[in-house]
Amino acid sequence: MISRQDLPAPPVPGVVPARVRTVYVVTHPEATHHVDGLVGGQFDSELTARGSEDAGWIARALRTGVGSQETAAVVASDLRRTVQTAPPFYPAGVAQLAAALDG
C-alpha cells in the first residue's frame, strides 16, 4: 500500500525544487449507462464486457509508454466503472490508494 511518506514532497520555492512529471488521463471505457442510453454523471454504472476488455488494452498501451521502471499512481473516483477500469493499471487496488491519499 502507498502511504503519504512514499509520495514525493510537493515543490516549495527555495526549499524543494520542482520536478518534471507526466500525467496520463484515462477515462473509463464503455459502461452500461452508455449502452442503456443513460447520462453517466454520478450514476453508478458498471463496465460492459467490451469496456473491461478495452481497460486491459489501455493498460497495456500505458505500460508500453510509461515503462516498467517508472513509478506510477492511479487516482480514481469511487464509482464502479472507474474502480473496474483501474485494476489493470494498479493491481493492488484503488481502495488502498485512496486510503493512502486520504490518510
Side-chain angles (χ1 to χ4, degrees):
M1 182 163 92
I2 295 175
S3 69
R4 283 189 180 271
Q5 291 77 20
D6 297 326
L7 300 173
V12 178
V15 179
V16 178
R19 293 168 304 284
V20 175
R21 296 181 182 170
T22 302
V23 176
Y24 296 92
V25 178
V26 176
T27 186
H28 64 82
E30 184 181 77
T32 56
H33 72 275
H34 293 138
V35 297
D36 293 340
L38 301 171
V39 175
Q42 289 298 311
F43 182 78
D44 199 13
S45 60
E46 296 188 7
L47 292 182
T48 62
R50 178 180 176 182
S52 294
E53 183 179 333
D54 289 347
W57 282 104
I58 295 166
R60 286 187 288 281
L62 278 175
R63 270 190 231 108
T64 299
V66 172
S68 61
Q69 301 303 314
E70 296 293 324
T71 300
V74 173
V75 179
S77 77
D78 60 352
L79 294 174
R80 285 183 288 181
R81 61 185 176 265
T82 60
V83 172
Q84 292 170 338
T85 301
F89 304 99
Y90 188 75
V94 176
Q96 289 182 355
L97 178 62
L101 294 175
D102 289 339

